[in-house]
Amino acid sequence: MAKLHAPKERAPPKSLVPTRIWFRQLDPAADRYGGILKTCAIAARGLLAHPQDVVPLHGDVHHGNILDGGARGWLAIDPKGVLGERAFDYANLFRNPDAYFAGEPDRLRRRVDIVARAASLEPKRLLTWILAYAGLGAAWTMDSGGQDEAGLAIASLAAAELGA
């Protein structure tokens, strides 16, 4: 992740989608479905209003998209091409690999601590991105007619950790 987010000598491509565009579905979904999505939407609005450390992002970092390339090193596949706060790229890690693994409160705390230290991120801000992105993922799934129990569970855990 540090390599992906490292400063580049050239300007980011204009084709990158700003995170504020990615999150545009969250507010309407929060109005439709209510519940924890309302808290997620509030968190997202706050983060997007005051972005920090904006860089080109992968947009879909999880256990299936970072591969061991052997001698080539780690390979990031299936990038979505997003522009936004560096901490955003870490949030999806916490919804994976499954609801059982992701949904344990003590495990969430430990993982946030590990990732925040390794990535030099402020833990509360990382938790807020986890809350916002879990809500966005749940909104996408719910708008497609599905249920995202893992996303809603992670959002609830993150909200509880934040005292929201």
Side-chain angles (χ1 to χ4, degrees):
M1 296 290 294
K3 273 186 171 181
L4 286 175
H5 297 151
K8 310 295 185 265
E9 292 183 16
R10 59 192 184 323
K14 295 194 184 304
S15 60
L16 297 178
V17 179
T19 48
R20 66 179 165 68
I21 301 296
W22 260 49
F23 276 88
R24 68 179 171 220
Q25 288 178 254
L26 184 53
D27 277 323
D31 290 340
R32 269 191 303 282
Y33 307 116
I36 190 66
L37 291 185
K38 290 275 193 184
T39 305
C40 297
I42 292 166
R45 284 195 301 271
L47 291 166
L48 296 168
H50 304 285
Q52 301 174 1
D53 201 9
V54 174
V55 297
L57 304 169
H58 182 280
D60 193 22
V61 172
H62 60 76
H63 302 76
N65 280 348
I66 304 295
L67 308 176
D68 183 350
R72 293 174 58 196
W74 292 104
L75 303 175
I77 65 166
D78 196 24
K80 302 304 181 214
V82 180
L83 182 67
E85 185 172 328
R86 188 174 62 88
F88 166 84
D89 242 358
Y90 293 89
N92 196 38
L93 291 173
F94 294 86
R95 294 176 34 137
N96 287 280
D98 57 42
Y100 171 77
F101 185 81
E104 183 182 308
D106 289 337
R107 184 171 284 146
L108 176 65
R109 270 184 229 108
R110 288 191 311 270
R111 292 175 76 198
V112 166
D113 183 56
I114 290 166
V115 170
R117 275 189 287 118
S120 298
L121 298 170
E122 196 277 307
K124 183 177 178 185
R125 190 149 182 106
L126 176 58
L127 265 169
T128 307
W129 274 110
I130 293 166
L131 171 63
Y133 194 55
L136 179 61
W140 285 338
T141 301
M142 293 165 80
D143 281 349
S144 298
Q147 279 292 84
D148 187 357
E149 293 176 22
L152 295 173
I154 292 301
S156 295
L157 286 173
E161 286 293 313
L162 289 164

